[in-house]
Amino acid sequence: MSNFERLHPALQHHIVNSLGWRELRPFQDAVISPVIDGQHLIVLAPTAGGKTEAAFFPVLSRILSESWTGLSVLYLCPIKALLNNLDTRLQRYCRLVGRTSALWHGDVKSAARTKILRELPDCLLTTPESLEVMLVSPNVDARRMFAGIRVVIVDEIHAFAGDDRGWHLLSVLERISKLAGREVQRLGLSATVGNPETLCDWLAGTCRGPRHVFRPPPSAAAVAAPEVQLDYVGSLQNAAIVVSRLHRGEKRLVFVDSRARAEQLAAELGRLQVTNFVTHSSLSHEQRQQAEEAFAAREDCVIVATSVLELGIDVGNLDRVIQIDSPATVSSFLQRMGRTGRRSGTTRNCLFLATSDESLVQAAALLSLWETGHVEPIEPPPLPLHVLAQQLMALTLQESGIGRGEWFNWIQRVPGFAELPREYVTEMVDWMLKQGILWEEAGILALGREGESSYGRRNFLELFSVFMSPPLFSILHGRQELGYVDEMTFLGKQPGPRVLLLGGRAWQVNHIDWQRRTAWVEATDSIGRTRWKGGGQ
C-alpha cells in the first residue's frame, strides 16, 4: 500500500477531484505514514513548500478513520495574521470531508467564540496565549473542551522555541494533555532551523512515543542557485529610488527591520509615484488585512514589511524580495528569500540594499555564513523560573486553588522545568507567598492580595501575556482605527502641527487624549515621523 493509499478514501477522493491535485508533492506523500502512525515529528520544508497540507491531511485522515469526535486537533501559530491566512484553507479541507474547523484569538468576536463553545469544531486554530485564556476562563468548560485532544500542530515552531513563548507553549500543552488524559501527538513545522533533532526533542519532551525529523529531498527549484546581490546605496531615500527604478512591472516585497523605517520607506516610495502598501505589527488588523489583500491581488507594486511577512503569510506569487540593510540571522534571510521562486521557471532571489557602512559589513558577513551552509541553532532560554511562576498563578485560577504538593505535577514534564533543582521551585513558591502574590490555607495555593492587585486588572490579561508591550496610543481617523504609536511620537518640541506616519501616509494630529491614550488625526501632505521603542537591532 502506498502512502497516499493510507489516507481515508473520502480524503483521497477530494484531494484528486475537489482540489484538482494530480498528486501530492513527494515530501507530503512521505510524511503521511509517520503522522498516521502517531509519531512526534518536526517537518522541515522551504517556505510555501506545502508543510501545512503535509501535516494536516494525514491528521484529517485520522479524524475520519479513527472516528474522533469533538475538538481533537489544535493548530497553533505564533501570530494572528498567519492564523487568519490559514483559516480559509483549513475550513475548506474540513468541509470537503464533512468536518469543521474554527478560529479563536483576540480579534475573534465574542459571538463566534460562543458558537465554538456551543458546538466544538474538529480543529481549532489559535495561539498559546488564547489557549491559556480558555484554560482559566470561568466561561469555558476546559475539561469538556480539551478532553478529546489527540494532535497538536505547531506552525513556524522556530518562532516559539528560541524565547520564553516556547516554554509557555510547552506548559500549556502539558496542561491540556493532563486534561485529555493521554499523550498528545506533537507535530512541528519549520522552514529553517540549524538543529532540528534538538528541536524535536524539545517539542516531544518526555513523551514516550517515537520521534523523528523529516527533511524533504531538495527539489530542482531548491537546487538552482538563487540570485543574491548586495549593493551599497547609502541612505533610505536612495534605497527608495533604487526600488522605484528596478524591476518595474514586477511584484516586490521589501523587508525593513523596524516599523519607523518601514513607514519612512513607504512614504518615500509614495513620493516617487510607486504603488505601495505597508504592513507591520502596529497597524490595526483591518489596515494590515487591506494592505496584504490589495498587494496579493495586484502586479507592478511594492509591499514594505517588517518581519510580520516572514512567517508564511500568503501574499500571492512574488517576483522579488528586497532587503534593506540586513536581517539579524541567516534563518530570517532564508525565510524571506523563500517567498520567491515558487512558480515554475522562476528562481529564488534577494537584493540587499545597505544604507550604512555598518549594515554593508553585516550583510556581507551574513551572506558569507549562508554560503558555508550555516543556519543558527535554536536555543531555548535557560532557567525559565519566571514562566514557571506565571504557570503557577495560572493554575491557581484554572483549578480555583491548587494543592502545594500537586501543582508542579501538571507541568513537571516540560524540559525546562524538569531540569530545575527542586529547591529552586520550593524557594520560588516561598518567595511568592512571602510577597503576598500567593496565599496558602491548608496546603491549598491561591492568588494573594498582591497577586490580585498586580495581575487582576482586565481579567488577568497581563498574566496570560508572556511578553508585555509598552503602552501605545491608538490613532483614530474619525471612527476608523489606523493603528498604534509610542507616546514618544508626541513628545518633544516641534514647529507647527505634529505630523505622524502610519500605513505609509502622513497624518496631522488634531487632538490627543492623554488619559485614554488616543489621538485623532486627518490626512495631510506634510512630511511626518513616527517612533516606537525597540524594533532596531
Side-chain angles (χ1 to χ4, degrees):
M1 178 183 291
S2 70
N3 287 321
F4 185 77
E5 289 173 335
R6 291 195 65 183
L7 295 177
H8 190 277
L11 184 56
Q12 292 183 43
H13 169 83
H14 284 292
I15 289 174
V16 174
N17 295 287
S18 301
L19 299 179
W21 297 5
R22 296 178 59 185
E23 59 185 6
L24 295 178
R25 298 177 185 182
F27 98 91
Q28 292 173 330
D29 184 77
V31 170
I32 290 172
S33 286
V35 173
I36 288 180
D37 292 340
Q39 292 187 29
H40 306 292
L41 282 183
I42 293 291
V43 179
L44 302 178
T47 301
K51 296 185 294 295
T52 296
E53 289 74 15
F56 193 69
F57 282 165
V59 168
L60 189 55
S61 177
R62 289 192 68 190
I63 292 176
L64 300 172
S65 301
E66 301 175 32
S67 301
W68 294 347
T69 58
L71 178 58
S72 52
V73 179
L74 294 173
Y75 197 110
L76 306 182
C77 293
I79 57 175
K80 292 182 285 187
L82 184 53
L83 287 170
N84 295 336
N85 193 255
L86 288 167
D87 181 39
T88 303
R89 281 161 63 190
L90 297 195
Q91 280 199 48
R92 183 187 183 197
Y93 298 154
C94 286
R95 278 199 304 268
L96 288 174
V97 295
R99 295 294 180 141
T100 57
S101 173
L103 177 68
W104 184 312
H105 57 61
D107 294 338
V108 173
K109 304 298 183 184
S110 59
R113 300 184 200 181
T114 301
K115 181 180 179 182
I116 290 171
L117 295 176
R118 186 172 60 248
E119 189 174 342
L120 294 178
D122 296 281
C123 175
L124 187 67
L125 291 85
T126 188
T127 64
E129 290 77 15
S130 291
L131 279 179
E132 178 97 271
V133 173
M134 295 178 221
L135 284 169
V136 305
S137 172
N139 300 319
V140 177
D141 184 347
R143 280 172 166 77
R144 168 184 170 268
M145 185 168 191
F146 299 117
I149 295 296
R150 309 274 181 165
V151 180
V152 173
I153 302 172
V154 185
D155 208 343
E156 307 289 0
I157 189 170
H158 59 277
F160 287 110
D163 58 39
D164 293 338
R165 288 189 79 194
W167 294 129
H168 178 257
L169 163 68
L170 294 186
S171 302
V172 171
L173 292 187
E174 287 294 341
R175 288 157 60 190
I176 287 175
S177 297
K178 188 172 178 66
L179 291 176
R182 67 176 63 85
E183 183 170 298
V184 175
Q185 183 182 14
R186 303 180 182 190
L187 308 175
L189 313 181
S190 181
T192 52
V193 61
N195 54 341
E197 285 79 11
T198 301
L199 189 61
C200 188
D201 287 335
W202 174 88
L203 176 64
T206 57
C207 292
R208 292 178 293 276
R211 60 194 66 181
H212 180 63
V213 173
F214 184 86
R215 297 178 179 86
S219 64
V223 171
E227 299 174 1
V228 179
Q229 291 180 283
L230 170 58
D231 286 325
Y232 178 80
V233 294
S235 70
L236 203 61
Q237 291 75 18
N238 289 344
I241 294 171
V242 172
V243 172
S244 72
R245 294 179 180 176
L246 279 182
H247 316 126
R248 288 176 176 171
E250 296 184 341
K251 184 181 290 188
R252 292 148 280 171
L253 171 55
V254 182
F255 282 105
V256 186
D257 280 358
S258 85
R259 290 165 288 184
R261 282 167 62 81
E263 290 285 358
Q264 291 170 25
L265 180 61
E268 290 290 340
L269 290 171
R271 282 190 278 274
L272 294 168
Q273 306 299 309
V274 176
T275 301
N276 78 92
F277 310 92
V278 63
T279 183
H280 56 73
S281 60
S282 288
L283 290 172
S284 68
H285 168 65
E286 291 76 13
Q287 294 289 307
R288 293 197 309 270
Q289 188 174 36
Q290 289 173 13
E292 290 158 15
E293 288 177 352
F295 177 73
R298 300 185 59 160
E299 303 297 330
D300 190 16
C301 61
V302 173
I303 190 166
V304 182
T306 57
S307 59
V308 295
L309 285 191
E310 185 178 302
L311 298 178
I313 299 168
D314 186 12
V315 288
N317 287 317
L318 288 171
D319 296 300
R320 301 282 171 179
V321 161
I322 300 171
Q323 172 69 53
I324 304 301
D325 297 324
S326 173
T329 63
V330 174
S331 176
S332 288
F333 161 58
L334 292 173
Q335 288 273 146
R336 298 173 185 192
M337 183 169 65
R339 307 309 301 269
T340 61
R342 300 184 186 183
R343 298 192 306 273
S344 176
T346 63
T347 305
R348 291 178 300 150
N349 63 81
C350 184
L351 169 63
F352 286 77
L353 299 178
T355 63
S356 67
D357 294 348
E358 292 81 1
S359 65
L360 177 66
V361 172
Q362 184 179 358
L366 181 137
L367 292 177
S368 178
L369 285 171
W370 164 63
E371 288 174 344
T372 68
H374 172 82
V375 180
E376 296 80 10
I378 301 293
E379 298 180 1
L383 292 175
L385 280 165
H386 54 305
V387 181
L388 182 63
Q390 182 263 347
Q391 286 296 293
L392 170 53
M393 288 187 280
L395 279 165
T396 65
L397 294 173
Q398 175 186 315
E399 298 298 296
S400 300
I402 192 165
R404 182 164 184 172
E406 175 194 356
W407 73 272
F408 193 65
N409 297 335
W410 283 78
I411 50 177
Q412 64 181 348
R413 289 157 57 94
V414 175
F417 302 153
E419 297 164 3
L420 289 172
R422 288 307 295 263
E423 58 267 25
Y424 281 26
V425 179
T426 302
E427 288 175 13
M428 183 195 77
V429 176
D430 289 341
W431 184 85
M432 294 174 73
L433 286 166
K434 184 178 179 180
Q435 298 297 316
I437 296 171
L438 294 177
W439 175 70
E440 181 179 12
E441 182 176 6
I444 301 298
L445 298 174
L447 273 188
R449 182 174 298 176
E450 183 61 31
E452 292 270 3
S453 173
S454 298
Y455 302 103
R457 297 183 299 275
R458 299 177 63 197
N459 296 317
F460 296 97
L461 183 62
E462 293 180 4
L463 180 59
F464 310 140
S465 299
V466 178
F467 300 108
M468 292 303 297
S469 300
L472 299 175
F473 272 72
S474 177
I475 306 301
L476 298 179
H477 177 231
R479 294 186 177 182
Q480 181 186 18
E481 187 172 55
L482 301 176
Y484 317 92
V485 304
D486 195 277
E487 65 179 17
M488 293 189 301
T489 302
F490 306 118
L491 301 178
K493 293 183 178 180
Q494 181 174 319
R498 194 171 297 275
V499 179
L500 58 84
L501 277 177
L502 201 58
R505 296 184 59 185
W507 304 92
Q508 179 178 308
V509 179
N510 290 335
H511 177 68
I512 303 174
D513 187 330
W514 288 90
Q515 186 172 359
R516 297 182 180 179
R517 308 190 75 81
T518 302
W520 283 265
V521 299
E522 64 180 16
T524 180
D525 293 328
S526 302
I527 297 175
R529 183 185 182 193
T530 301
R531 302 171 68 187
W532 287 274
K533 290 179 181 176
Q537 294 180 14

